[in-house]
Amino acid sequence: MTSYEETYAYLERHVDALKTDRTGDERQTDGEVFDRKTLMTIYDLMTSGYIDSVRHPISTGKEGNVFYALDEDGDEVALKIFRTSTSTFKRVSKYVEGDPRFRGVTGNRWKMIYAWVNKEFKNLVRYSEAGIPVPEPITYSKNCLLMEYIGEEDGPAPQLKDCVLEDPDDTYDEVLSFIIDGWRDAHLVHGDLSEYNILMQNGEPIMIDVGQAMTSDHYNARELLERDIRNINSFFGKRGADVIDDAVVLDETLNGDDEEDEE
Ligand SMILES: Nc1ncnc2c1ncn2[C@@H]1O[C@H](COP(=O)(O)OP(=O)(O)OP(=O)(O)O)[C@@H](O)[C@H]1O
Ligand SMILES: [Mg+2]
């Protein structure tokens, strides 16, 4: 069996944030997100061949970080690591407990956060099976989620909020289809859809951050749907798109013509 010291030495070579600065004798660690359990999870993802190295953080947030990583073939992947803190636990609990797919998961902080990661993974699978552009899910383990990297070698794709849109109407149509097809084909409502959770790659929007997405039969689903529509309409309105009324989009989502849907 590998000792923790050996494991750690291996990780130090493969996780940039753990690399010791030998000259200054200072550890340039990213701190909290790499607690011992998380390190073991990353190690497992490495020994099972999913990741070769973890490079720089793409994003650092209260509840977790997203890292640029490489797999064994040198291909880019995105590793989202959730902090197993009380604040993460508090935020995710209601979404996990309220989702019929996770009935019975309660209490324990770790279990809840692991269920949350499983939920984000399942939602990605569901969206991508319905043909909605999201990062391709690769695998997940405990508080770590591995997915397709959206971006270039020199940086992740920008968020929609930071983009100048060549054709706002066109992008608006695409984003509307995330809402409408998401509901009708994936049976999900994103629940936090905004210009922050859409990345623009080669002019095409890609939806991210789908952990809180709920099944369309959830008691709160319609309210979430209305909010997503409101947010998207308000953003595209400001960007000069020819926005369709909230109520019309809602009706199309709930009662749209199926034949037209299957084109
Ligand atoms: N698959 C990906 N490829 C490239 N970049 C990504 C990917 N997923 C997330 N990111 C980057 O990380 C950021 C945060 O990701 P995400 O929205 O999923 O997490 P979050 O829970 O909202 O985190 P935060 O609270 O820090 O915003 C995104 O805005 C994006 O810049
Ligand atoms: Mg986000």
Side-chain angles (χ1 to χ4, degrees), residues 2-203:
T2 333
S3 71
Y4 184 69
E5 284 66 30
E6 283 168 313
T7 303
Y8 196 85
Y10 180 89
L11 285 164
E12 266 189 327
R13 292 193 299 275
H14 291 258
V15 179
D16 281 2
L18 298 179
K19 284 192 174 134
T20 312
D21 174 358
R22 303 279 173 202
T23 52
D25 195 34
E26 238 174 75
R27 207 154 263 198
Q28 308 174 327
T29 72
D30 175 66
E32 318 145 77
V33 71
F34 291 116
D35 57 40
R36 191 166 168 146
K37 269 191 202 169
T38 304
L39 282 175
M40 293 314 289
T41 308
I42 295 172
Y43 184 70
D44 289 343
L45 289 170
M46 287 178 167
T47 53
S48 49
Y50 287 107
I51 309 177
D52 177 66
S53 61
V54 179
R55 302 291 176 84
H56 54 273
I58 300 169
S59 149
T60 55
K62 271 200 322 292
E63 284 156 4
N65 296 348
V66 179
F67 290 89
Y68 177 87
L70 297 175
D71 69 11
E72 289 195 319
D73 301 323
D75 289 329
E76 301 167 313
V77 288
L79 174 65
K80 188 170 178 180
I81 304 180
F82 293 82
R83 217 162 257 137
T84 48
S85 61
T86 320
S87 68
T88 313
F89 168 68
K90 279 190 186 143
R91 188 179 74 91
V92 306
S93 294
K94 67 171 189 281
Y95 293 100
V96 172
E97 282 167 353
D99 191 315
R101 292 172 296 173
F102 294 91
R103 198 162 285 144
V105 178
T106 45
N108 187 299
R109 189 172 89 204
W110 307 93
K111 270 203 322 210
M112 191 64 77
I113 292 162
Y114 298 167
W116 172 258
V117 177
N118 178 349
K119 182 163 139 71
E120 179 154 355
F121 184 83
K122 281 203 164 84
N123 288 340
L124 282 176
V125 170
R126 224 154 135 158
Y127 275 125
S128 61
E129 282 177 359
I132 293 156
V134 291
E136 200 68 44
I138 300 170
T139 191
Y140 67 95
S141 176
K142 307 219 166 125
N143 58 327
C144 295
L145 171 68
L146 196 65
M147 61 189 144
E148 178 191 357
Y149 170 74
I150 309 295
E152 309 294 332
E153 206 184 325
D154 58 2
Q159 288 168 311
L160 175 60
K161 73 175 175 72
D162 296 322
C163 292
V164 177
L165 301 177
E166 267 177 39
D167 186 344
D169 284 321
D170 205 49
T171 312
Y172 175 59
D173 275 356
E174 301 259 356
V175 172
L176 272 190
S177 78
F178 299 172
I179 298 178
I180 299 173
D181 300 347
W183 181 275
R184 299 179 67 85
D185 301 339
H187 307 290
L188 288 173
V189 52
H190 186 287
D192 190 21
L193 195 61
S194 74
E195 59 276 24
Y196 289 82
N197 285 330
I198 295 172
L199 303 182
M200 290 298 285
Q201 189 177 44
N202 307 323

